Amino acid sequence: MNNKELVSSFWRDMDAQKWDNLQSYFEPNAVIDWANTKERFTVPEFVNVNGEYPGNWNITVKRIEQMGNLIISVVFVQLSGENQAFTAVSFFKFENERFSGLTEYWGDVGEPPAWRQSNNNF
Amino acid sequence: MNNKELVSSFWRDMDAQKWDNLQSYFEPNAVIDWANTKERFTVPEFVNVNGEYPGNWNITVKRIEQMGNLIISVVFVQLSGENQAFTAVSFFKFENERFSGLTEYWGDVGEPPAWRQSNNNF
C-alpha cells in the first residue's frame, strides 16, 4: 500500500475499532499529539486511549492530501446514538512506510453561536 | 509574494484586524466554508463576519504546508482577556495568486475530559 492507502486503511480500522491492528501502522518510537488538549501519547498509550474512548462511532474520510512524506487527512466522526460529532485534521509523518509521528486537531461539530444564527447579518 | 508568504500575510492582517485588507487576498467568487458549523460565506460576508466577531484575539501561525496550488495552515487563536483559545486548520486553494476557496476546521483548546485527566491510565 502507498502512504495514502495506509492512511485510508488506518481510518477503516479506527472506524471498525480494530485495536489490535493499530500498532502496526506506527514506528515503535512514534509520538501522537492531540493538540487541542495538549495530550501526548506513545503508540501503546494511543491504542489504549482509543480503546477506552466511551461509546462507538462512525468515521467518514472527507479528504486526504499528500506532500512528500506528509499525509494530511480530514475525517468526520459521528458518535453512535448521540447528537455529537467531530472533525479531525490529522498530520501523518511517514518513515519506512509507517507513521513516525501524528498530530491531530479535533473540533466539535454543531450550530453556530447565537450571534451568527442569522446569516442575513453578513 | 509566493503562496506561503500570502498566507502568512493574510494571518498577520487577521491578527491585526485589518479588515480593509482581507478582500484583496481572495478571488471575487471565492467561497469560505467553516466546516464545524456548516457555515458558508462569500468574500464580503467573510470580511463582515470577522469584523463582527466579539472581542480581540492574538493569532500565532504554527505550521504552513504547500502542495501545488493548495496551502494548509495551522494557527492558534487566543481570545484577549479571556481564558478561551482555538486551533484552526485552513485549506487555501489558489488561483491567479489569490485564494479561490478556503475551508477551515476550528477546534476549542482546553483540558482533556475527565476520563483522560490522569494519563497514568493509558
Side-chain angles (χ1 to χ4, degrees), chain A residues 34 36-39 45 49 52-54 63 65-67 70 72 74 87 91 105-110 112 115-116 119 122, chain B residues 34 36-40 45 49 52-54 63 65-67 70 72 74 87 91 105-110 112 115-116 119 122:
Chain A
W34 285 352
N36 296 79
T37 46
K38 297 184 175 70
E39 292 172 277
E45 287 170 344
V49 79
E52 295 289 331
Y53 209 101
R63 183 170 193 160
E65 302 288 349
Q66 177 162 22
M67 45 185 77
L70 176 68
I72 300 171
V74 178
T87 58
F91 291 70
Y105 299 87
W106 285 80
D108 293 327
V109 171
W115 67 272
R116 294 204 309 271
N119 200 1
F122 309 109
Chain B
W34 284 352
N36 297 79
T37 47
K38 298 185 174 69
E39 291 172 277
R40 170 167 284 194
E45 287 170 344
V49 79
E52 294 289 330
Y53 209 101
R63 180 169 195 161
E65 301 289 349
Q66 177 162 23
M67 45 186 78
L70 177 67
I72 300 171
V74 178
T87 58
F91 291 70
Y105 299 87
W106 285 79
D108 294 327
V109 171
W115 66 273
R116 294 205 310 270
N119 202 1
F122 309 110

Short mmCIF file of all heavy atoms in Angstrom, two decimals, chain A residues 34 36-39 45 49 52-54 63 65-67 70 72 74 87 91 105-110 112 115-116 119 122, chain B residues 34 36-40 45 49 52-54 63 65-67 70 72 74 87 91 105-110 112 115-116 119 122:
data_model
loop_
_atom_site.label_atom_id
_atom_site.label_comp_id
_atom_site.label_asym_id
_atom_site.label_seq_id
_atom_site.Cartn_x
_atom_site.Cartn_y
_atom_site.Cartn_z
N TRP A 34 -2.45 15.18 20.51
CA TRP A 34 -3.77 15.79 20.36
C TRP A 34 -3.60 17.24 20.78
O TRP A 34 -3.54 17.56 21.98
CB TRP A 34 -4.81 15.05 21.22
CG TRP A 34 -5.22 13.72 20.63
CD1 TRP A 34 -4.88 13.25 19.38
CD2 TRP A 34 -6.06 12.72 21.22
NE1 TRP A 34 -5.45 12.01 19.17
CE2 TRP A 34 -6.19 11.66 20.27
CE3 TRP A 34 -6.71 12.61 22.43
CZ2 TRP A 34 -6.93 10.51 20.52
CZ3 TRP A 34 -7.46 11.46 22.68
CH2 TRP A 34 -7.57 10.43 21.74
N ASN A 36 -5.38 20.01 20.71
CA ASN A 36 -6.37 20.84 21.38
C ASN A 36 -6.41 20.64 22.88
O ASN A 36 -6.77 21.55 23.63
CB ASN A 36 -7.76 20.58 20.80
CG ASN A 36 -7.82 20.98 19.35
OD1 ASN A 36 -7.34 20.24 18.48
ND2 ASN A 36 -8.33 22.16 19.07
N THR A 37 -6.03 19.45 23.33
CA THR A 37 -6.00 19.16 24.76
C THR A 37 -4.57 19.01 25.27
O THR A 37 -4.36 18.66 26.43
CB THR A 37 -6.78 17.88 25.07
OG1 THR A 37 -6.40 16.86 24.13
CG2 THR A 37 -8.28 18.13 24.97
N LYS A 38 -3.60 19.27 24.40
CA LYS A 38 -2.18 19.20 24.75
C LYS A 38 -1.84 17.84 25.37
O LYS A 38 -1.09 17.75 26.35
CB LYS A 38 -1.78 20.34 25.68
CG LYS A 38 -1.94 21.73 25.02
CD LYS A 38 -1.44 22.84 25.94
CE LYS A 38 -1.46 24.21 25.26
NZ LYS A 38 -2.82 24.72 25.04
N GLU A 39 -2.39 16.78 24.80
CA GLU A 39 -2.09 15.42 25.25
C GLU A 39 -1.10 14.77 24.30
O GLU A 39 -1.22 14.93 23.08
CB GLU A 39 -3.36 14.57 25.31
CG GLU A 39 -4.34 15.00 26.38
CD GLU A 39 -5.66 14.26 26.27
OE1 GLU A 39 -6.51 14.71 25.46
OE2 GLU A 39 -5.84 13.26 26.96
N GLU A 45 0.00 3.76 24.40
CA GLU A 45 -0.96 4.64 25.07
C GLU A 45 -2.07 5.05 24.12
O GLU A 45 -3.25 5.11 24.50
CB GLU A 45 -0.25 5.88 25.62
CG GLU A 45 0.62 5.61 26.84
CD GLU A 45 1.48 6.80 27.22
OE1 GLU A 45 1.65 7.74 26.39
OE2 GLU A 45 2.01 6.81 28.35
N VAL A 49 -5.96 4.51 24.68
CA VAL A 49 -6.90 5.62 24.86
C VAL A 49 -8.05 5.51 23.85
O VAL A 49 -9.20 5.85 24.17
CB VAL A 49 -6.18 6.98 24.79
CG1 VAL A 49 -5.89 7.41 23.37
CG2 VAL A 49 -6.99 8.06 25.51
N GLU A 52 -10.38 2.87 25.22
CA GLU A 52 -11.15 3.36 26.37
C GLU A 52 -12.18 4.41 25.99
O GLU A 52 -13.03 4.77 26.81
CB GLU A 52 -10.19 3.98 27.40
CG GLU A 52 -9.22 3.00 28.02
CD GLU A 52 -9.91 2.04 28.99
OE1 GLU A 52 -10.92 2.43 29.58
OE2 GLU A 52 -9.43 0.89 29.12
N TYR A 53 -12.09 4.94 24.78
CA TYR A 53 -12.98 6.05 24.39
C TYR A 53 -14.43 5.60 24.54
O TYR A 53 -14.81 4.54 24.02
CB TYR A 53 -12.69 6.49 22.96
CG TYR A 53 -13.01 7.95 22.74
CD1 TYR A 53 -12.00 8.91 22.73
CD2 TYR A 53 -14.32 8.38 22.60
CE1 TYR A 53 -12.28 10.25 22.57
CE2 TYR A 53 -14.62 9.73 22.43
CZ TYR A 53 -13.59 10.65 22.42
OH TYR A 53 -13.89 11.99 22.26
N PRO A 54 -15.25 6.39 25.25
CA PRO A 54 -16.62 5.94 25.52
C PRO A 54 -17.44 5.83 24.22
O PRO A 54 -17.39 6.70 23.37
CB PRO A 54 -17.19 7.05 26.41
CG PRO A 54 -16.00 7.77 26.96
CD PRO A 54 -14.95 7.67 25.89
N ARG A 63 -11.17 13.85 3.14
CA ARG A 63 -10.11 14.42 2.31
C ARG A 63 -8.78 13.80 2.72
O ARG A 63 -8.55 13.61 3.92
CB ARG A 63 -10.09 15.93 2.57
CG ARG A 63 -9.11 16.71 1.76
CD ARG A 63 -9.39 18.20 1.95
NE ARG A 63 -8.65 18.95 0.95
CZ ARG A 63 -8.93 20.18 0.58
NH1 ARG A 63 -9.94 20.83 1.13
NH2 ARG A 63 -8.21 20.78 -0.34
N GLU A 65 -4.67 14.49 1.60
CA GLU A 65 -3.70 15.24 0.80
C GLU A 65 -2.30 14.73 1.10
O GLU A 65 -2.01 14.35 2.24
CB GLU A 65 -3.76 16.75 1.12
CG GLU A 65 -5.11 17.39 0.90
CD GLU A 65 -5.47 17.55 -0.58
OE1 GLU A 65 -4.60 17.36 -1.44
OE2 GLU A 65 -6.65 17.86 -0.86
N GLN A 66 -1.45 14.72 0.10
CA GLN A 66 -0.07 14.24 0.29
C GLN A 66 0.93 15.30 -0.15
O GLN A 66 0.76 15.92 -1.20
CB GLN A 66 0.16 12.97 -0.54
CG GLN A 66 1.61 12.47 -0.44
CD GLN A 66 1.77 11.03 -0.86
OE1 GLN A 66 0.92 10.50 -1.59
NE2 GLN A 66 2.83 10.40 -0.40
N MET A 67 1.95 15.50 0.66
CA MET A 67 3.11 16.31 0.26
C MET A 67 4.35 15.58 0.75
O MET A 67 4.72 15.67 1.92
CB MET A 67 3.02 17.73 0.81
CG MET A 67 2.62 17.84 2.26
SD MET A 67 2.40 19.59 2.77
CE MET A 67 0.81 19.95 2.05
N LEU A 70 4.56 13.59 4.10
CA LEU A 70 3.47 14.07 4.97
C LEU A 70 2.13 13.79 4.30
O LEU A 70 1.94 14.11 3.13
CB LEU A 70 3.64 15.58 5.20
CG LEU A 70 2.55 16.28 6.01
CD1 LEU A 70 2.56 15.81 7.46
CD2 LEU A 70 2.75 17.80 5.95
N ILE A 72 -2.00 14.51 5.05
CA ILE A 72 -2.95 15.24 5.87
C ILE A 72 -4.34 14.73 5.53
O ILE A 72 -4.74 14.74 4.37
CB ILE A 72 -2.86 16.76 5.63
CG1 ILE A 72 -1.44 17.26 5.96
CG2 ILE A 72 -3.90 17.51 6.46
CD1 ILE A 72 -1.18 18.70 5.56
N VAL A 74 -8.63 14.64 6.57
CA VAL A 74 -9.76 15.24 7.28
C VAL A 74 -10.81 14.15 7.42
O VAL A 74 -11.21 13.54 6.43
CB VAL A 74 -10.36 16.43 6.51
CG1 VAL A 74 -11.57 17.00 7.26
CG2 VAL A 74 -9.32 17.51 6.27
N THR A 87 -14.90 16.94 13.83
CA THR A 87 -13.96 16.86 12.72
C THR A 87 -12.57 16.62 13.31
O THR A 87 -12.27 17.07 14.42
CB THR A 87 -13.90 18.17 11.90
OG1 THR A 87 -13.55 19.25 12.77
CG2 THR A 87 -15.24 18.46 11.23
N PHE A 91 -2.16 15.11 10.81
CA PHE A 91 -0.90 15.24 10.07
C PHE A 91 -0.06 13.99 10.36
O PHE A 91 0.44 13.83 11.48
CB PHE A 91 -0.16 16.50 10.51
CG PHE A 91 -0.83 17.79 10.10
CD1 PHE A 91 -2.02 18.19 10.68
CD2 PHE A 91 -0.27 18.60 9.13
CE1 PHE A 91 -2.65 19.38 10.30
CE2 PHE A 91 -0.88 19.79 8.74
CZ PHE A 91 -2.08 20.18 9.33
N TYR A 105 -5.86 17.64 15.18
CA TYR A 105 -6.63 18.81 15.61
C TYR A 105 -8.10 18.42 15.57
O TYR A 105 -8.62 18.12 14.49
CB TYR A 105 -6.35 20.00 14.69
CG TYR A 105 -4.90 20.40 14.72
CD1 TYR A 105 -3.98 19.79 13.86
CD2 TYR A 105 -4.43 21.34 15.63
CE1 TYR A 105 -2.63 20.12 13.91
CE2 TYR A 105 -3.09 21.68 15.68
CZ TYR A 105 -2.20 21.06 14.82
OH TYR A 105 -0.86 21.38 14.87
N TRP A 106 -8.72 18.39 16.74
CA TRP A 106 -10.12 17.95 16.87
C TRP A 106 -11.02 19.14 17.14
O TRP A 106 -10.70 20.02 17.94
CB TRP A 106 -10.24 16.94 18.02
CG TRP A 106 -9.70 15.59 17.67
CD1 TRP A 106 -8.39 15.21 17.66
CD2 TRP A 106 -10.46 14.44 17.26
NE1 TRP A 106 -8.29 13.90 17.27
CE2 TRP A 106 -9.55 13.40 17.02
CE3 TRP A 106 -11.82 14.21 17.08
CZ2 TRP A 106 -9.94 12.13 16.60
CZ3 TRP A 106 -12.23 12.94 16.66
CH2 TRP A 106 -11.28 11.93 16.43
N GLY A 107 -12.17 19.15 16.44
CA GLY A 107 -13.14 20.22 16.66
C GLY A 107 -14.55 19.67 16.75
O GLY A 107 -14.89 18.68 16.08
N ASP A 108 -15.37 20.31 17.57
CA ASP A 108 -16.78 19.92 17.68
C ASP A 108 -17.54 20.32 16.42
O ASP A 108 -17.24 21.35 15.81
CB ASP A 108 -17.44 20.64 18.87
CG ASP A 108 -16.89 20.18 20.20
OD1 ASP A 108 -16.51 19.00 20.32
OD2 ASP A 108 -16.81 21.01 21.12
N VAL A 109 -18.53 19.52 16.06
CA VAL A 109 -19.48 19.89 15.01
C VAL A 109 -20.76 20.33 15.70
O VAL A 109 -21.22 19.67 16.64
CB VAL A 109 -19.76 18.69 14.08
CG1 VAL A 109 -20.90 18.99 13.13
CG2 VAL A 109 -18.50 18.33 13.30
N GLY A 110 -21.31 21.47 15.28
CA GLY A 110 -22.52 21.95 15.93
C GLY A 110 -23.06 23.20 15.28
O GLY A 110 -22.60 23.62 14.21
N PRO A 112 -23.83 27.22 14.77
CA PRO A 112 -23.09 28.45 15.00
C PRO A 112 -23.56 29.10 16.30
O PRO A 112 -24.68 28.86 16.74
CB PRO A 112 -23.47 29.34 13.81
CG PRO A 112 -24.11 28.45 12.81
CD PRO A 112 -24.69 27.29 13.57
N TRP A 115 -24.90 34.73 17.84
CA TRP A 115 -24.70 35.96 17.07
C TRP A 115 -24.52 35.70 15.57
O TRP A 115 -24.58 36.63 14.78
CB TRP A 115 -23.53 36.78 17.62
CG TRP A 115 -22.17 36.15 17.48
CD1 TRP A 115 -21.57 35.29 18.34
CD2 TRP A 115 -21.23 36.35 16.41
NE1 TRP A 115 -20.34 34.92 17.87
CE2 TRP A 115 -20.10 35.55 16.70
CE3 TRP A 115 -21.23 37.11 15.23
CZ2 TRP A 115 -18.99 35.50 15.86
CZ3 TRP A 115 -20.12 37.06 14.39
CH2 TRP A 115 -19.01 36.26 14.71
N ARG A 116 -24.34 34.42 15.19
CA ARG A 116 -24.22 34.13 13.76
C ARG A 116 -25.40 33.29 13.25
O ARG A 116 -25.35 32.79 12.13
CB ARG A 116 -22.92 33.37 13.46
CG ARG A 116 -21.67 34.16 13.70
CD ARG A 116 -20.48 33.66 12.88
NE ARG A 116 -20.21 32.26 12.97
CZ ARG A 116 -19.43 31.66 13.88
NH1 ARG A 116 -18.84 32.39 14.80
NH2 ARG A 116 -19.23 30.37 13.87
N ASN A 119 -27.63 34.35 9.07
CA ASN A 119 -26.59 34.71 8.11
C ASN A 119 -26.94 36.02 7.39
O ASN A 119 -26.10 36.64 6.75
CB ASN A 119 -26.43 33.57 7.09
CG ASN A 119 -25.09 33.61 6.38
OD1 ASN A 119 -24.27 34.48 6.66
ND2 ASN A 119 -24.88 32.70 5.46
N PHE A 122 -24.73 39.16 7.54
CA PHE A 122 -23.39 39.29 6.93
C PHE A 122 -23.43 39.34 5.41
O PHE A 122 -24.16 39.99 4.81
CB PHE A 122 -22.51 38.10 7.37
CG PHE A 122 -22.52 37.90 8.84
CD1 PHE A 122 -23.16 36.82 9.41
CD2 PHE A 122 -21.95 38.86 9.68
CE1 PHE A 122 -23.20 36.66 10.77
CE2 PHE A 122 -22.00 38.69 11.05
CZ PHE A 122 -22.62 37.59 11.60
N TRP B 34 -16.79 27.26 6.88
CA TRP B 34 -16.44 26.86 8.24
C TRP B 34 -17.12 25.52 8.46
O TRP B 34 -18.33 25.44 8.71
CB TRP B 34 -16.90 27.92 9.25
CG TRP B 34 -16.01 29.14 9.25
CD1 TRP B 34 -14.82 29.29 8.60
CD2 TRP B 34 -16.22 30.37 9.96
NE1 TRP B 34 -14.28 30.54 8.84
CE2 TRP B 34 -15.12 31.22 9.68
CE3 TRP B 34 -17.22 30.84 10.80
CZ2 TRP B 34 -15.01 32.50 10.20
CZ3 TRP B 34 -17.11 32.12 11.33
CH2 TRP B 34 -16.01 32.94 11.04
N ASN B 36 -17.11 23.13 10.73
CA ASN B 36 -17.66 22.64 12.00
C ASN B 36 -19.07 23.15 12.27
O ASN B 36 -19.84 22.50 12.96
CB ASN B 36 -16.73 23.01 13.16
CG ASN B 36 -15.40 22.33 13.01
OD1 ASN B 36 -14.56 22.78 12.23
ND2 ASN B 36 -15.22 21.22 13.70
N THR B 37 -19.37 24.34 11.75
CA THR B 37 -20.71 24.90 11.94
C THR B 37 -21.49 24.92 10.63
O THR B 37 -22.59 25.47 10.57
CB THR B 37 -20.61 26.34 12.49
OG1 THR B 37 -19.62 27.06 11.72
CG2 THR B 37 -20.20 26.33 13.95
N LYS B 38 -20.91 24.32 9.60
CA LYS B 38 -21.56 24.23 8.29
C LYS B 38 -22.01 25.60 7.80
O LYS B 38 -23.09 25.76 7.23
CB LYS B 38 -22.74 23.25 8.32
CG LYS B 38 -22.32 21.80 8.66
CD LYS B 38 -23.51 20.85 8.56
CE LYS B 38 -23.09 19.41 8.75
NZ LYS B 38 -22.65 19.09 10.12
N GLU B 39 -21.15 26.61 8.00
CA GLU B 39 -21.44 27.96 7.51
C GLU B 39 -20.64 28.21 6.24
O GLU B 39 -19.47 27.82 6.14
CB GLU B 39 -21.05 29.01 8.56
CG GLU B 39 -21.93 28.99 9.78
CD GLU B 39 -21.40 29.90 10.88
OE1 GLU B 39 -20.51 29.45 11.64
OE2 GLU B 39 -21.87 31.03 10.98
N ARG B 40 -21.27 28.88 5.27
CA ARG B 40 -20.61 29.23 4.02
C ARG B 40 -20.77 30.73 3.78
O ARG B 40 -21.86 31.26 3.93
CB ARG B 40 -21.22 28.42 2.87
CG ARG B 40 -20.77 28.87 1.50
CD ARG B 40 -21.14 27.87 0.43
NE ARG B 40 -20.24 26.72 0.49
CZ ARG B 40 -20.14 25.80 -0.48
NH1 ARG B 40 -20.88 25.91 -1.57
NH2 ARG B 40 -19.29 24.79 -0.36
N GLU B 45 -19.15 38.67 2.88
CA GLU B 45 -19.72 38.13 4.12
C GLU B 45 -18.62 37.70 5.09
O GLU B 45 -18.73 37.91 6.30
CB GLU B 45 -20.62 36.91 3.81
CG GLU B 45 -21.94 37.28 3.17
CD GLU B 45 -22.71 36.06 2.66
OE1 GLU B 45 -22.10 34.96 2.53
OE2 GLU B 45 -23.90 36.20 2.37
N VAL B 49 -18.18 39.00 8.82
CA VAL B 49 -18.32 38.14 9.99
C VAL B 49 -17.08 38.22 10.87
O VAL B 49 -17.18 38.15 12.10
CB VAL B 49 -18.66 36.69 9.58
CG1 VAL B 49 -17.44 35.92 9.12
CG2 VAL B 49 -19.35 35.93 10.71
N GLU B 52 -17.39 41.43 12.82
CA GLU B 52 -18.42 41.35 13.87
C GLU B 52 -18.00 40.43 15.00
O GLU B 52 -18.65 40.40 16.06
CB GLU B 52 -19.74 40.81 13.27
CG GLU B 52 -20.39 41.73 12.27
CD GLU B 52 -20.99 42.98 12.90
OE1 GLU B 52 -21.39 42.88 14.07
OE2 GLU B 52 -21.01 44.03 12.24
N TYR B 53 -16.93 39.64 14.80
CA TYR B 53 -16.55 38.65 15.81
C TYR B 53 -16.28 39.36 17.14
O TYR B 53 -15.51 40.31 17.19
CB TYR B 53 -15.31 37.87 15.36
CG TYR B 53 -15.29 36.47 15.92
CD1 TYR B 53 -15.66 35.38 15.15
CD2 TYR B 53 -14.91 36.24 17.24
CE1 TYR B 53 -15.68 34.10 15.67
CE2 TYR B 53 -14.92 34.97 17.78
CZ TYR B 53 -15.30 33.90 16.99
OH TYR B 53 -15.32 32.63 17.51
N PRO B 54 -16.91 38.89 18.23
CA PRO B 54 -16.76 39.61 19.51
C PRO B 54 -15.32 39.58 20.02
O PRO B 54 -14.67 38.53 19.98
CB PRO B 54 -17.68 38.81 20.46
CG PRO B 54 -18.60 38.03 19.57
CD PRO B 54 -17.82 37.74 18.33
N ARG B 63 2.11 26.38 11.60
CA ARG B 63 2.57 25.47 10.55
C ARG B 63 1.98 25.93 9.22
O ARG B 63 0.80 26.33 9.19
CB ARG B 63 2.07 24.07 10.90
CG ARG B 63 2.43 22.99 9.96
CD ARG B 63 2.10 21.64 10.60
NE ARG B 63 2.76 20.59 9.85
CZ ARG B 63 3.00 19.37 10.31
NH1 ARG B 63 2.60 19.04 11.52
NH2 ARG B 63 3.62 18.47 9.58
N GLU B 65 1.98 24.34 5.21
CA GLU B 65 2.40 23.29 4.29
C GLU B 65 1.87 23.62 2.89
O GLU B 65 0.78 24.18 2.76
CB GLU B 65 1.85 21.92 4.72
CG GLU B 65 2.27 21.48 6.11
CD GLU B 65 3.75 21.10 6.20
OE1 GLU B 65 4.41 20.97 5.15
OE2 GLU B 65 4.23 20.93 7.33
N GLN B 66 2.64 23.27 1.88
CA GLN B 66 2.23 23.54 0.50
C GLN B 66 2.24 22.27 -0.32
O GLN B 66 3.18 21.47 -0.24
CB GLN B 66 3.17 24.57 -0.14
CG GLN B 66 2.84 24.83 -1.61
CD GLN B 66 3.45 26.10 -2.15
OE1 GLN B 66 4.44 26.60 -1.62
NE2 GLN B 66 2.86 26.63 -3.21
N MET B 67 1.20 22.06 -1.10
CA MET B 67 1.19 21.01 -2.12
C MET B 67 0.56 21.62 -3.37
O MET B 67 -0.66 21.72 -3.49
CB MET B 67 0.43 19.78 -1.64
CG MET B 67 -0.88 20.03 -0.96
SD MET B 67 -1.61 18.51 -0.28
CE MET B 67 -0.63 18.31 1.20
N LEU B 70 -2.38 24.19 -3.33
CA LEU B 70 -3.04 24.09 -2.03
C LEU B 70 -2.05 24.45 -0.92
O LEU B 70 -0.94 23.93 -0.88
CB LEU B 70 -3.56 22.66 -1.83
CG LEU B 70 -4.22 22.34 -0.49
CD1 LEU B 70 -5.54 23.09 -0.34
CD2 LEU B 70 -4.45 20.84 -0.35
N ILE B 72 -1.95 24.59 3.32
CA ILE B 72 -2.64 24.22 4.55
C ILE B 72 -1.91 24.89 5.71
O ILE B 72 -0.70 24.69 5.87
CB ILE B 72 -2.68 22.69 4.73
CG1 ILE B 72 -3.42 22.04 3.55
CG2 ILE B 72 -3.36 22.32 6.06
CD1 ILE B 72 -3.34 20.53 3.51
N VAL B 74 -1.91 25.90 10.01
CA VAL B 74 -2.42 25.67 11.35
C VAL B 74 -2.14 26.92 12.16
O VAL B 74 -0.99 27.37 12.22
CB VAL B 74 -1.75 24.45 12.03
CG1 VAL B 74 -2.28 24.27 13.44
CG2 VAL B 74 -1.95 23.18 11.21
N THR B 87 -7.81 26.26 17.90
CA THR B 87 -6.95 25.95 16.77
C THR B 87 -7.80 26.07 15.50
O THR B 87 -9.00 25.81 15.52
CB THR B 87 -6.40 24.51 16.82
OG1 THR B 87 -7.49 23.58 16.86
CG2 THR B 87 -5.51 24.31 18.04
N PHE B 91 -7.52 25.24 4.72
CA PHE B 91 -7.13 24.75 3.40
C PHE B 91 -7.39 25.87 2.39
O PHE B 91 -8.55 26.17 2.08
CB PHE B 91 -7.94 23.50 3.03
CG PHE B 91 -7.61 22.29 3.87
CD1 PHE B 91 -7.97 22.22 5.20
CD2 PHE B 91 -6.93 21.21 3.31
CE1 PHE B 91 -7.66 21.11 5.97
CE2 PHE B 91 -6.62 20.09 4.07
CZ PHE B 91 -6.98 20.04 5.41
N TYR B 105 -11.29 24.35 9.64
CA TYR B 105 -11.71 23.44 10.71
C TYR B 105 -11.28 24.05 12.03
O TYR B 105 -10.07 24.19 12.28
CB TYR B 105 -11.09 22.05 10.51
CG TYR B 105 -11.51 21.42 9.20
CD1 TYR B 105 -10.82 21.67 8.03
CD2 TYR B 105 -12.65 20.63 9.14
CE1 TYR B 105 -11.23 21.13 6.81
CE2 TYR B 105 -13.08 20.09 7.94
CZ TYR B 105 -12.37 20.34 6.78
OH TYR B 105 -12.79 19.81 5.59
N TRP B 106 -12.27 24.42 12.85
CA TRP B 106 -12.00 25.10 14.12
C TRP B 106 -12.24 24.16 15.29
O TRP B 106 -13.23 23.43 15.31
CB TRP B 106 -12.91 26.34 14.25
CG TRP B 106 -12.47 27.47 13.38
CD1 TRP B 106 -12.70 27.60 12.03
CD2 TRP B 106 -11.71 28.61 13.77
NE1 TRP B 106 -12.12 28.77 11.58
CE2 TRP B 106 -11.52 29.41 12.62
CE3 TRP B 106 -11.18 29.04 14.99
CZ2 TRP B 106 -10.80 30.60 12.66
CZ3 TRP B 106 -10.47 30.24 15.02
CH2 TRP B 106 -10.29 31.01 13.86
N GLY B 107 -11.32 24.21 16.26
CA GLY B 107 -11.48 23.39 17.45
C GLY B 107 -11.15 24.18 18.71
O GLY B 107 -10.27 25.05 18.69
N ASP B 108 -11.85 23.88 19.78
CA ASP B 108 -11.56 24.51 21.08
C ASP B 108 -10.24 23.99 21.64
O ASP B 108 -9.91 22.81 21.46
CB ASP B 108 -12.67 24.19 22.09
CG ASP B 108 -14.00 24.80 21.71
OD1 ASP B 108 -14.00 25.90 21.12
OD2 ASP B 108 -15.03 24.18 22.01
N VAL B 109 -9.54 24.85 22.35
CA VAL B 109 -8.38 24.43 23.14
C VAL B 109 -8.82 24.35 24.59
O VAL B 109 -9.50 25.26 25.09
CB VAL B 109 -7.22 25.44 22.98
CG1 VAL B 109 -6.10 25.15 23.96
CG2 VAL B 109 -6.71 25.42 21.54
N GLY B 110 -8.47 23.27 25.26
CA GLY B 110 -8.88 23.15 26.67
C GLY B 110 -8.36 21.89 27.31
O GLY B 110 -7.51 21.19 26.76
N PRO B 112 -8.38 18.06 28.80
CA PRO B 112 -8.97 16.78 28.39
C PRO B 112 -10.23 16.51 29.22
O PRO B 112 -10.35 17.03 30.34
CB PRO B 112 -7.89 15.74 28.71
CG PRO B 112 -6.65 16.50 28.96
CD PRO B 112 -7.05 17.87 29.41
N TRP B 115 -12.34 11.62 31.96
CA TRP B 115 -11.87 10.24 31.88
C TRP B 115 -10.42 10.15 31.36
O TRP B 115 -9.80 9.10 31.45
CB TRP B 115 -12.80 9.37 31.03
CG TRP B 115 -12.87 9.74 29.56
CD1 TRP B 115 -13.69 10.65 28.99
CD2 TRP B 115 -12.10 9.16 28.50
NE1 TRP B 115 -13.47 10.71 27.64
CE2 TRP B 115 -12.51 9.78 27.30
CE3 TRP B 115 -11.10 8.18 28.43
CZ2 TRP B 115 -11.96 9.47 26.04
CZ3 TRP B 115 -10.55 7.87 27.18
CH2 TRP B 115 -10.99 8.51 26.02
N ARG B 116 -9.88 11.27 30.84
CA ARG B 116 -8.48 11.25 30.39
C ARG B 116 -7.59 12.14 31.24
O ARG B 116 -6.42 12.36 30.87
CB ARG B 116 -8.38 11.70 28.93
CG ARG B 116 -9.03 10.77 27.94
CD ARG B 116 -8.43 10.88 26.55
NE ARG B 116 -8.33 12.23 26.04
CZ ARG B 116 -9.29 12.85 25.32
NH1 ARG B 116 -10.43 12.25 25.09
NH2 ARG B 116 -9.10 14.08 24.87
N ASN B 119 -3.26 10.62 32.81
CA ASN B 119 -2.61 9.90 31.71
C ASN B 119 -2.07 8.55 32.17
O ASN B 119 -1.75 7.68 31.37
CB ASN B 119 -1.49 10.76 31.14
CG ASN B 119 -1.13 10.37 29.72
OD1 ASN B 119 -1.73 9.47 29.16
ND2 ASN B 119 -0.15 11.04 29.15
N PHE B 122 -3.25 5.18 30.72
CA PHE B 122 -3.01 4.72 29.35
C PHE B 122 -1.54 4.37 29.11
O PHE B 122 -0.92 3.73 29.80
CB PHE B 122 -3.43 5.82 28.34
CG PHE B 122 -4.81 6.30 28.60
CD1 PHE B 122 -5.04 7.56 29.09
CD2 PHE B 122 -5.88 5.46 28.41
CE1 PHE B 122 -6.32 8.00 29.37
CE2 PHE B 122 -7.17 5.89 28.67
CZ PHE B 122 -7.39 7.17 29.16
#
